[in-house]
Amino acid sequence: QVKANGKNQIMYYENIINEITNENYILLKELRYALERNEMTLNYQPQVDSRTSEIIGMEALLRWHHNGEQIPPDRFIPLAEESRLIIPIGEFVIDEALCFLRELQSKDIMVPVAINISVEQLKFELIYKQIKRSIERYAIDPKYIELEVTESVIITGREEAIAVIDKLIELGVRVSIDDFGMGYSSLSYLKRFKFHRIKLDRLFIKDFPEKDNGHIASLIIQLANSLEVEIVAEGIEKEVQKEFLLTRGCNFIQGYYYSKPLSKESCLEYIKKSLKIIE
Ligand code: C2E
Ligand code: MG
Ligand code: MG
Ligand code: MG
C-alpha cells in the first residue's frame, strides 16, 4: 500500500511538472510574436531625491500586454533568457528607452534612464554594438544611460561578461548593481569593475519598521558610502521608510511612495511637475 501511495505521489508531481512546462511552452510560443505584434511597451519609474523631491532618474520596466492581460516580467523574462529571445527583446528595450531619452533631451530635460540587462545579453558583444548604435542614432550623451546588472551577472557571468561591461563603461555609460544584497555573500566582485551605483533591494526595507529594524539596510548604505558609490533604495512605500533611509544617508529613493512605474506620457508629466517644484 505504501508503495502504491509513493507511486501516486510521483505521478502527482509529474503531472504538476508537465502542467508547468506546458504552460511555459505556450507562453514561450506567444512570446516569440510579442514584438512583431506590438505587445511590448516600457514603463518608467521615477527615482527621487527625498531631500528636494527632485527627479534624479528613472528606471525603464518592460510590460507585456497579451490577450487582454499583463504578464509580469518575473514571469516572462526568465523564459526570454532561456530561449535567447532576450536578445531581440533587449534590443527593443534599449532602442525604446534611448528614443524616449532623445525626446526628453530635445525638450532640454536631462534625466538619466536606467535599463535592466540580463546576463544572457552580456554573453555576446552584440549588446555593445546595439547600445553604441542607439547612442549614435539618437545622439545621446552616454552618461545619461545607466545599465542595471544583478550580482549574479558578475559572479556567474564569465570573464566575457565582465569584459563586455568594461567596454560599455569605456563607452561612457554607467553601471549599477541591481537587487544588491540578494545574491551572494561574497563582496570580492565589488573590486572587479568600476560601477557607479548600488540599488538596495526592497527586501531590506519592505518590513521596516514593524518586522525589520533596518540594520542591514544601514550597513549596505555605509558600504556604499565607503566605496564612494551612489545608492538608490528600491521599493519604498512608506514615509517612515523614506525618513529612516534619509537619517542613514540614503536620499535617492525609488518606490510607490513617490510613484509607480508610469507610461511615457505620464512620466513626462511627472518630470515636468517635479521640475516646477524645484524652480
Ligand atoms: P527590478 O529591476 O529590481 O525592478 C524593480 C521592481 O520593483 C519592478 O517590478 C518595480 O515595479 C517594482 N517596484 C518598484 N517600487 C515598488 C514598491 O514600492 N513596492 C513594490 N511592491 N514593488 C515596487 P517589475 O516591473 O515587475 O519588474 C520585475 C523585474 O523584472 C525587474 O526587477 C527586472 O529584474 C526585470 N525586468 C523588468 N524589465 C526588464 C527589462 O527590460 N529587461 C530585463 N532584462 N529585465 C527586466
Ligand atoms: Mg532594475
Ligand atoms: Mg531591483
Ligand atoms: Mg528584481
Side-chain angles (χ1 to χ4, degrees):
Q1 223 203 334
V2 174
K3 237 185 192 168
N5 221 335
K7 202 176 168 194
N8 281 342
Q9 199 76 330
I10 289 169
M11 275 174 66
Y12 172 73
Y13 286 118
E14 268 180 0
N15 283 340
I16 289 186
I17 289 168
N18 283 338
E19 248 169 61
I20 295 171
T21 40
N22 202 23
E23 220 177 89
N24 277 347
Y25 179 75
I26 293 167
L27 206 58
L28 181 59
K29 242 173 76 188
E30 298 295 303
L31 191 58
R32 290 188 198 288
Y33 299 101
L35 282 180
E36 60 188 68
R37 290 177 182 155
N38 291 320
E39 294 177 343
M40 298 262 177
T41 52
L42 285 187
N43 276 359
Y44 299 87
Q45 187 177 32
Q47 300 168 332
V48 176
D49 184 339
S50 67
R51 295 170 308 187
T52 58
S53 298
E54 179 188 10
I55 184 165
I56 53 125
M58 56 195 175
E59 178 175 4
L61 293 160
L62 190 56
R63 296 293 175 259
W64 181 19
H65 315 271
H66 181 62
N67 290 344
E69 264 185 279
Q70 276 239 34
I71 321 262
D74 289 332
R75 181 90 180 78
F76 71 83
I77 294 284
L79 293 178
E81 288 172 345
E82 282 164 32
S83 62
R84 298 273 160 89
L85 278 174
I86 195 68
I87 304 296
I89 290 174
E91 181 169 24
F92 165 82
V93 170
I94 290 162
D95 199 70
E96 192 69 13
L98 295 200
C99 180
F100 185 40
L101 212 54
R102 173 72 274 155
E103 190 186 327
L104 292 177
Q105 297 197 346
S106 63
K107 296 178 165 69
D108 272 329
I109 299 172
M110 308 308 271
V111 178
V113 70
I115 300 169
N116 291 286
I117 302 290
S118 297
V119 66
E120 295 303 320
Q121 291 172 274
L122 291 168
K123 283 185 184 156
F124 311 94
E125 288 245 319
L126 188 60
I127 188 169
Y128 173 80
K129 294 201 185 100
Q130 289 172 346
I131 290 177
K132 196 158 177 281
R133 197 193 313 128
S134 289
I135 284 176
E136 283 160 8
R137 177 167 176 203
Y138 298 113
I140 301 282
D141 181 344
K143 75 168 186 248
Y144 292 99
I145 303 166
E146 177 182 329
L147 305 178
E148 296 194 2
V149 298
T150 57
E151 290 167 293
S152 59
V153 168
I154 304 145
I155 292 174
T156 65
R158 293 190 308 245
E159 286 309 313
E160 297 95 274
I162 304 286
V164 173
I165 294 177
D166 278 336
K167 265 188 92 171
L168 287 164
I169 291 174
E170 247 170 68
L171 198 62
V173 307
R174 297 184 162 168
V175 175
S176 315
I177 302 175
D178 204 356
D179 305 341
F180 187 87
M182 281 297 289
Y184 296 84
S185 51
S186 161
L187 294 177
S188 60
Y189 76 85
L190 292 174
K191 297 179 63 163
R192 296 190 64 184
F193 64 93
K194 231 187 126 13
F195 61 97
H196 110 117
R197 177 183 273 184
I198 280 173
K199 297 197 73 183
L200 176 69
D201 197 83
R202 189 174 99 83
L203 176 75
F204 303 111
I205 198 69
K206 71 178 174 55
D207 296 323
F208 181 86
E210 292 82 7
K211 281 184 280 174
D212 185 338
N213 54 25
H215 286 172
I216 299 177
S218 300
L219 190 69
I220 296 175
I221 295 167
Q222 281 177 39
L223 176 68
N225 287 342
S226 49
L227 290 169
E228 295 178 337
V229 295
E230 291 179 4
I231 183 157
V232 180
E234 287 192 292
I236 305 312
E237 297 184 356
K238 299 180 189 151
E239 168 132 43
V240 57
Q241 297 169 340
K242 176 204 76 168
E243 286 303 320
F244 171 76
L245 292 168
L246 188 58
T247 64
R248 295 307 152 115
C250 174
N251 50 294
F252 289 171
I253 301 292
Q254 179 183 342
Y256 297 170
Y257 175 74
Y258 282 109
S259 173
K260 292 203 164 178
L262 304 168
S263 70
K264 211 162 78 164
E265 296 74 22
S266 305
C267 188
L268 182 57
E269 288 311 306
Y270 188 99
I271 294 170
K272 283 181 180 163
K273 249 185 242 156
S274 145
L275 294 176
K276 239 179 240 145
I277 294 168
I278 302 299
E279 276 165 10

